[in-house]
Amino acid sequence: MNFKFAFCPIILLLSTSLSFPQNVNVVIHGEALIAKTDDNFVCVTLDWWPAEKCDYNQCPWGKASILNLDLRYGALINAIKAFNPLRIKVGGSLQDNVVYKVGEVSSCPNFMKREDDLFGFSQGCLSMERWDQLNRFFNHTG
């Protein structure tokens, strides 16, 4: 019984002290080099936009997104190899709406046009099969 009585004031004291804002000073030493980008650095982004993404009556994405890009297209493979070393970023505007079909995720919906959702599209899914295809593509092209 005495233990409970002694323990409660400590918790109360800790929770009270954590609830008050504190000023923190952060010092950044900008003169220390931690990485360097080569002058020939090239980076491209593969975006998530579905073929239905249109603006001003123009629908430029077609089959150019992570979701439907033809990863066997010879000209694309050759272009990526020609830009070696090329960095490819997988991401883009709809990144926050992507569901990855991994583990116990059972539903894998396609992106659907919905004006009330982020950027006008619902959540969409990247299946493990497509993820594996992308990884094979990245390994193949270097």
Side-chain angles (χ1 to χ4, degrees):
M1 188 75 161
N2 288 343
F3 179 70
K4 289 181 183 177
F5 178 74
F7 189 63
C8 290
I10 291 173
I11 291 176
L12 181 61
L13 180 64
L14 286 174
S15 65
T16 305
S17 67
L18 294 176
S19 65
F20 294 112
Q22 298 178 5
N23 289 330
V24 177
N25 291 326
V26 177
V27 178
I28 299 172
H29 296 286
E31 63 272 354
L33 179 67
I34 60 170
K36 184 175 173 157
T37 301
D38 185 275
D39 289 338
N40 297 321
F41 179 79
V42 179
C43 181
V44 298
T45 299
L46 291 179
D47 210 315
W48 297 97
W49 292 119
E52 299 80 28
K53 168 65 172 150
C54 304
D55 292 308
Y56 310 105
N57 295 323
Q58 305 247 338
C59 308
W61 285 95
K63 301 252 184 211
S65 89
I66 294 167
L67 304 169
N68 55 26
L69 181 65
D70 182 357
L71 302 175
R72 296 167 291 146
Y73 185 53
L76 175 64
I77 292 168
N78 291 336
I80 290 172
K81 287 180 176 181
F83 277 104
N84 191 3
L86 174 70
R87 300 295 175 250
I88 299 177
K89 173 187 170 233
V90 175
S93 304
L94 291 178
Q95 178 64 46
D96 291 343
N97 279 14
V98 176
V99 175
Y100 294 87
K101 189 166 193 256
V102 178
E104 296 183 24
V105 174
S106 59
S107 177
C108 195
N110 291 327
F111 284 105
M112 304 294 286
K113 273 183 96 61
R114 286 193 10 198
E115 297 301 321
D116 57 333
D117 282 330
L118 183 65
F119 299 110
F121 284 89
S122 67
Q123 283 189 330
C125 183
L126 183 68
S127 67
M128 279 303 294
E129 178 184 2
R130 185 60 174 177
W131 179 251
D132 289 340
Q133 291 170 356
L134 288 163
N135 275 303
R136 281 192 296 274
F137 176 75
F138 297 143
N139 287 323
H140 175 71
T141 58

